[in-house]
Amino acid sequence: MVTMRPTLTVPTRFADFHQRHAGESILVCGCGSSLNQLQEAEHYVTIGVNDVGRKFHPDYLVVLNGRHQFSAERFAPIAASQAQAIFTHLSLGIDHPNVVRFLLGQRGGVEVNTLDSLPYTRNSTYVAACLAIFMGAKRIGLIGVDFTDHHFFAPTGRHSLSAELARIRQEYARLAEACTRLGVELVNLSAQSAVDTLPYEPLAAFSARAKSAKSLNIVSYATTPVAGVPKLLSECIERCTPHRCRTVWATHRYGNGVEFAGDVEWQHQPDMARALLEAADLVIVHNGHTAAQHNEILRHKPVITLAHNYMWNVDQQFVKRGLPGMVVAQYQASLPEFAGWQAVPNPVPLWDPLFALGEKEQRITIAYTPSGKHEKYPPGHRLYWHSKGYISTMAVLQRLAQRYPLQLLTTQSGQVSFSESMEIKRRAHIVIDECVTGSYHRNSLEGLAAGAVVINGLGLESAISDVFQRTVSAAPSPFVCASLATLEMVLTDLIASGPQRLTEQGIRNRQWLLQHWDFSAQWQQFWLPQLANARGKMPPAPNAVQAVKLPARVSVSAPPQTLCIQTPLTAGVSVIIPFAGNQRTEQLRCVLLGLKKQPEVKRIIVVELDRSANAREIATGLADDYLFAYTQQPFSKSRALNIALPFVTTQYILWLDSDLLLPEGFIQQARDECEHRGLDCLIPWDTVYYLGQNESEQIQQGVRQPGDVQPVHQFQSRRGAQGGAVLVRTDFILQHGGMPVQFQGWGGEDNAWFHKVSVLGKIDYTADRKRALFHLYHPLSSGYCRHGEHIAANPHYQNNFQLLQRMRSARSAATFSQRYPASAWHSAPWDATQAIVCPPSHAALAQRLRDFYGDALSVTPQPDMQAVDLSLFNPDQAALDQTVLAVIRHICTLHYPLLQG
């Protein structure tokens, strides 16, 4: 069980905010002038103070001064605040639906260890920072906490607490030390703040780790590699903004062998590509071209078209619908056909090792790696801007190499990969782009990043120079301008200056790029207005949410509207236990024996998802069904739970971990409560008692009882855990699908389920604060790992966490169903596709199997070693469902010999 918390109804009691944002990043926002640096505040988790509402409405507001201490002008934004909750110890006399009262604790204190109070000082941002700790933040960034002259909204003069700065600095220093002991980062995001006892971190760097349910999911989409820019743009957005961004493209390589760092290629991962597009809040479509299979999804998405080429090579489909168009700020942006499109700098991820400053060779080295070997096209030719002057440039280099001891790094012998091209530039003193058209290209930017002197034709065409100057706010160009006619002379002068001076100039060029090509600044200046434009013109959502339709492999009828299952369902509870590995078999035996004492349990199903059937002997003897699903893939708790669904016979299901013991009468009490409260799902426990190793072994041996043992640790469901034991109505799963199957390993799937039901149905914790579970000891369980060892041991944890955050961003039933549609078929206990041989007499059985499992089964007319022959089974239509289960059991047993040989 992990402590990831979904988006819930906002509490009204102070104590219920404890650990509400466990593990997240929180911005604490004061009213200093540096608050004006904050853009997109709505995409962070924020705690503001006083009248920050003049700039934006924070998630939470802290007010520690009475109404009489504010001017009417400053109190008005407080009274009109749209924060989810206003935290105060006072009676403010305002009409806000959720004023949360708390007590002031120790003055100057640093311990946040009670459920009714917070430490305090004379400044409210200190209390706001303590509130962030109380809420479970892992990273806390302060902005607008300056204590310098003026507020963010006006030149208000000297700060009222400026005379107390020495004490304030000490207070924050002590708080930072306490945070460090807790494993919490506390940083100041303002370079101008007088609180210099806190470590400084740029806002962009904080943003990279501040992803939350409020972050946008952005997709950088392309049908071609586009010189690798789609992936580089994703990296920049991920690194410098509060948003998430993935690259979805057809392929990451060109036919000539040039390739770039990849992400999701829909030629190889079509389902993943589709899922990312469906979950996207914004799509950046490079050159406007789309694949036919994605058009329906993109028709309902906010889209920005980013042009990299001539207009004749750009699809204007989205721009014609009124959505924004952007064009890279090179020659393209100077063309009349792009009038009205926003010019934007080509993204450069300067932190990426590929773009690092390189160590130069001892002798002068010149790099020339054009994307093609074109010479020149006449002005007006449709390919004029692809001119590279290749033959002329190579001739110049060869003549110079005969006169000087140069090293030439070129593509004369063939194209190189992107990483090889960057390595060449890092070694070079001089990088040549092209000296024909008057433009600059990515080669120029890459050369600056590598610390080289860069030669191109910028300056030959005034219109292109004007575009460049607007991009860098009129900063002087770092490039050396040359035409083909002057290239040899320019190179001769540079060579004469020697390698030392060239190296020094290259270092200055990189510094220029760091100062004038910062993506976080470019995001705010160029991208944010277009992003707001695109989202403001979002096409209307379709009237009905359609599930993703999977291609059929055989000619059968369309899938049913809900999952198939044995009917009618009977009263009682079916217990499903997922299992893997060989470390917990004795715990499993103990749990199964305990379930025999729960009268409401009508069926026990154990699903083992692994390469070895370690639980076979125990589960076949103590469970009603044992399903072994051989897999080469990582264990997926979600998949294991879903595999059991066709074998459920009851109105309720209990998902139960294989190391949890239940008290007497637990399941009946849980079912009665769920039914009485009209819930679709219930977290039926309040506390988990973690038992020691020796005590657990004694319980497994039958020597002791769980209730007689002193636990070594305990955990409560209301602190964020929503797994371990979960009771759910079977008919809810049939309608909306089971556990989200995108999670691998463990971590996040239970919390994603909680969010799913909270959006699509009704879920809650038990009202019985005495209802407990007993956890049998095993290594790397979260209850015994005080330093996160269980997280470190799980390679999928971070990906699961990010997936959970994306799911939480879908806050309405329509949005969630559109992004994460329920599967029309059950999860199969096998990887890939299982072939079945179907004689004509068994067509109805084949159809019923397909009703259950869809594309996971394929019908073949000829027997083979991998196919299951349906003629071995009873085709009686009156018992088709039972026969389906018999077939599935048979398929599961086919894997046993493989594992014992």
Side-chain angles (χ1 to χ4, degrees):
M1 293 174 293
V2 292
T3 57
M4 302 176 190
R5 192 178 184 93
T7 303
L8 302 174
T9 303
V10 182
T12 57
R13 295 190 319 125
F14 180 75
D16 292 335
F17 284 90
H18 187 241
Q19 296 296 310
R20 178 173 172 80
H21 293 284
E24 297 185 47
S25 300
I26 295 181
L27 274 181
V28 171
C29 304
C31 295
S33 57
S34 67
L35 188 65
N36 285 321
Q37 300 172 15
L38 177 61
Q39 303 291 327
E40 300 190 280
E42 69 276 15
H43 295 299
Y44 298 88
V45 178
T46 52
I47 301 176
V49 302
N50 298 338
D51 49 340
V52 295
R54 294 169 180 256
K55 181 174 176 65
F56 71 96
H57 291 290
D59 295 302
Y60 311 108
L61 185 68
V62 173
V63 181
L64 300 181
N65 298 96
R67 185 172 194 148
H68 65 281
Q69 294 176 279
F70 293 95
S71 67
E73 178 191 10
R74 292 203 63 183
F75 193 77
I78 298 173
S81 176
Q82 296 179 24
Q84 296 177 29
I86 297 179
F87 292 85
T88 184
H89 64 298
L90 303 168
S91 177
L92 297 176
I94 61 176
D95 185 20
H96 188 279
N98 196 17
V99 176
V100 178
R101 301 286 287 274
F102 67 97
L103 302 176
L104 295 181
Q106 180 183 358
R107 179 165 181 171
V110 295
E111 299 298 330
V112 183
N113 53 12
T114 69
L115 294 178
D116 60 359
S117 67
L118 292 173
Y120 75 102
T121 64
R122 287 246 300 150
N123 64 92
S124 53
T125 48
Y126 185 95
V127 178
C130 292
L131 178 59
I133 298 170
F134 181 80
M135 289 182 171
K138 189 71 173 178
R139 290 164 297 277
I140 303 170
L142 307 185
I143 190 165
V145 187
D146 301 330
F147 299 99
T148 54
D149 293 348
H150 312 308
H151 288 87
F152 73 90
F153 53 84
T156 54
R158 183 178 174 84
H159 196 284
S160 60
L161 297 179
S162 58
E164 303 176 30
L165 271 177
R167 177 177 52 78
I168 291 171
R169 291 188 178 107
Q170 292 175 358
E171 290 167 346
Y172 278 100
R174 289 195 298 269
L175 185 62
E177 292 172 359
C179 284
T180 300
R181 291 193 295 271
L182 293 171
V184 176
E185 295 180 51
L186 178 64
V187 296
N188 199 333
L189 306 178
S190 169
Q192 65 201 56
S193 172
V195 185
D196 52 12
T197 50
L198 292 178
Y200 167 72
E201 182 172 270
L203 178 59
F206 183 83
S207 299
R209 300 184 297 160
K211 314 303 183 189
S212 72
K214 303 179 72 178
S215 302
L216 296 179
N217 295 315
I218 300 175
V219 168
S220 180
Y221 177 98
T223 56
T224 67
V226 199
V229 175
K231 181 63 166 64
L232 298 177
L233 179 60
S234 292
E235 289 182 29
C236 289
I237 293 173
E238 273 281 342
R239 178 73 175 234
C240 300
T241 80
H243 308 302
R244 303 178 185 86
C245 191
R246 296 290 300 273
T247 304
V248 173
W249 48 8
T251 177
H252 72 288
R253 59 170 57 93
Y254 286 112
N256 62 4
V258 177
E259 64 180 22
F260 307 89
D263 196 353
V264 176
E265 300 175 77
W266 69 70
Q267 292 180 356
H268 305 295
Q269 298 172 286
D271 293 340
M272 176 65 76
R274 187 178 185 91
L276 288 171
L277 288 172
E278 289 173 338
D281 300 300
L282 176 80
V283 182
I284 300 169
V285 179
H286 296 265
N287 283 330
H289 297 290
T290 58
Q293 65 266 34
H294 301 143
N295 286 341
E296 181 60 24
I297 300 174
L298 294 172
R299 189 165 66 89
H300 304 290
K301 296 289 182 181
V303 170
I304 294 175
T305 301
L306 178 58
H308 299 259
N309 215 311
Y310 313 90
M311 184 64 83
W312 58 260
N313 199 27
V314 175
D315 192 326
Q316 301 183 64
Q317 57 176 315
F318 299 107
V319 175
K320 289 179 179 179
R321 285 165 41 195
L323 292 164
M326 303 180 76
V327 56
V328 292
Q330 296 164 193
Y331 75 85
Q332 301 92 325
S334 70
L335 301 177
E337 60 211 62
F338 285 108
W341 291 52
Q342 171 66 60
V344 61
N346 231 321
V348 180
L350 290 166
W351 54 87
D352 190 316
L354 286 176
F355 292 83
L357 182 68
E359 184 175 349
K360 305 307 176 188
E361 302 283 346
Q362 290 186 350
R363 59 176 171 161
I364 293 177
T365 301
I366 302 175
Y368 180 51
T369 59
S371 59
K373 295 184 178 181
H374 311 292
E375 176 61 10
K376 289 190 296 183
Y377 298 96
H381 190 280
R382 69 195 305 263
L383 295 179
Y384 170 73
W385 297 103
H386 288 279
S387 301
K388 301 299 180 185
Y390 179 79
I391 297 173
S392 300
T393 301
M394 287 301 301
V396 168
L397 292 176
Q398 289 163 0
R399 286 195 297 271
L400 289 172
Q402 293 175 354
R403 294 160 49 194
Y404 302 101
L406 303 177
Q407 180 173 216
L408 303 182
L409 302 176
T410 72
T411 55
Q412 186 174 23
S413 60
Q415 291 295 331
V416 296
S417 70
F418 175 64
S419 60
E420 292 170 332
S421 172
M422 292 304 300
E423 171 61 23
I424 287 172
K425 294 182 178 73
R426 289 195 296 273
R427 295 165 56 192
H429 297 85
I430 300 171
V431 169
I432 302 174
D433 190 343
E434 59 94 348
C435 302
V436 181
T437 66
S439 188
Y440 71 101
H441 306 273
R442 289 201 61 85
N443 264 325
S444 292
L445 300 173
E446 292 160 3
L448 296 181
V453 175
V454 177
I455 302 174
N456 59 34
L458 188 67
L460 300 178
E461 293 289 339
S462 60
I464 302 174
S465 297
D466 290 344
V467 169
F468 179 79
Q469 288 297 296
R470 291 195 298 271
T471 300
V472 296
S473 302
S477 169
F479 304 122
V480 176
C481 178
S483 65
L484 286 181
T486 64
L487 177 60
E488 188 165 355
M489 179 182 64
V490 168
L491 279 170
T492 300
D493 290 344
L494 290 174
I495 293 168
S497 67
Q500 182 62 35
R501 287 192 177 182
L502 290 174
T503 299
E504 292 169 355
Q505 180 58 47
I507 293 173
R508 288 192 292 271
N509 282 348
R510 180 173 173 84
Q511 290 301 316
W512 183 96
L513 200 66
L514 288 168
Q515 181 179 353
H516 299 289
W517 218 267
D518 173 39
F519 186 81
S520 59
Q522 294 171 350
W523 179 257
Q524 294 187 20
Q525 180 180 353
F526 300 102
W527 286 97
L528 279 185
Q530 304 306 317
L531 186 148
N533 186 6
R535 299 192 76 214
K537 294 180 177 178
M538 180 177 174
N543 292 329
V545 177
Q546 300 294 328
V548 177
K549 294 182 179 179
L550 301 176
R553 288 194 176 95
V554 293
S555 178
V556 295
S557 61
Q561 293 299 307
T562 60
L563 289 172
C564 291
I565 204 167
Q566 301 178 64
T567 56
L569 296 173
T570 60
V573 177
S574 296
V575 179
I576 300 174
I577 300 177
F579 192 83
N582 59 6
Q583 302 297 315
R584 285 184 256 175
T585 53
E586 288 308 308
Q587 288 92 330
L588 174 65
R589 183 196 305 273
C590 189
V591 170
L592 292 175
L593 289 170
L595 288 174
K596 297 293 186 180
K597 303 174 184 178
Q598 300 280 341
E600 277 296 300
V601 174
K602 306 303 179 185
R603 195 170 194 84
I604 302 172
I605 307 161
V606 175
V607 180
E608 186 169 19
L609 191 63
D610 207 339
R611 299 184 183 186
S612 300
N614 300 294
R616 178 186 176 188
E617 181 178 347
I618 293 172
T620 53
L622 296 175
D624 297 284
D625 274 298
Y626 167 67
L627 303 175
F628 175 67
Y630 177 79
T631 183
Q632 295 279 357
Q633 300 174 7
F635 174 73
S636 168
K637 177 181 172 182
S638 296
R639 182 184 171 195
L641 291 172
N642 291 344
I643 283 173
L645 292 177
F647 293 80
V648 169
T649 60
T650 55
Q651 296 170 356
Y652 285 88
I653 296 170
L654 180 73
W655 287 325
L656 183 66
D657 286 358
S658 61
D659 48 20
L660 291 176
L661 298 178
L662 311 179
E664 183 178 349
F666 178 95
I667 292 181
Q668 181 172 344
Q669 294 167 10
R671 192 215 60 173
D672 290 347
E673 180 181 7
C674 191
E675 196 161 81
H676 176 73
R677 296 174 62 185
L679 300 175
D680 297 302
C681 186
L682 174 71
I683 308 301
W685 56 274
D686 180 78
T687 306
V688 174
Y689 294 115
Y690 287 83
L691 309 181
Q693 182 174 2
N694 292 335
E695 291 82 358
S696 294
E697 291 173 355
Q698 292 170 353
I699 292 170
Q700 289 162 204
Q701 295 164 5
V703 178
R704 301 184 68 177
Q705 295 298 315
D708 301 330
V709 173
Q710 182 68 29
V712 297
H713 181 56
Q714 66 184 55
F715 200 88
Q716 292 182 307
S717 59
R718 286 166 179 79
R719 293 187 178 180
Q722 291 117 10
V726 178
L727 186 72
V728 59
R729 292 177 62 91
T730 306
D731 57 4
F732 180 88
I733 294 179
L734 297 183
Q735 182 178 356
H736 298 290
M739 275 274 186
V741 296
Q742 297 91 335
F743 293 88
Q744 292 189 334
W746 57 267
E749 68 283 334
D750 296 320
N751 308 87
W753 171 258
F754 194 104
H755 178 69
K756 174 178 178 176
V757 185
S758 68
V759 171
L760 301 177
K762 189 176 181 182
I763 187 171
D764 205 351
Y765 301 100
T766 179
D768 185 355
R769 293 299 184 98
K770 296 181 180 180
R771 196 176 296 159
L773 303 173
F774 300 94
H775 192 292
L776 295 170
Y777 175 86
H778 62 85
L780 293 180
S781 174
S782 60
Y784 306 99
C785 299
R786 301 301 179 88
H787 304 289
E789 301 94 329
H790 61 303
I791 295 175
N794 180 7
H796 310 290
Y797 187 89
Q798 189 59 40
N799 289 338
N800 285 355
F801 184 82
Q802 293 175 359
L803 172 60
L804 171 63
Q805 297 298 81
R806 291 195 296 274
M807 284 191 168
R808 286 174 173 173
S809 69
R811 299 183 178 90
S812 69
T815 301
F816 191 96
S817 298
Q818 183 182 27
R819 294 182 186 175
Y820 307 103
S823 173
W825 298 293
H826 289 285
S827 295
W830 57 80
D831 293 343
T833 304
Q834 173 67 52
I836 54 176
V837 180
C838 178
S841 59
H842 287 63
L845 176 58
Q847 175 62 65
R848 192 58 177 159
L849 280 163
R850 285 276 298 176
D851 287 345
F852 273 72
Y853 291 100
D855 263 1
L857 288 169
S858 63
V859 178
T860 178
Q862 299 297 328
D864 62 54
M865 292 188 64
Q866 302 300 322
V868 173
D869 189 350
L870 295 187
S871 65
L872 301 175
F873 298 90
N874 180 8
D876 183 4
Q877 295 198 27
L880 276 184
D881 285 356
Q882 291 301 317
T883 307
V884 164
L885 301 186
V887 172
I888 302 309
R889 293 187 187 99
H890 174 71
I891 293 174
C892 290
T893 62
L894 291 178
H895 296 295
Y896 293 159
L898 296 175
L899 305 167
Q900 298 169 351

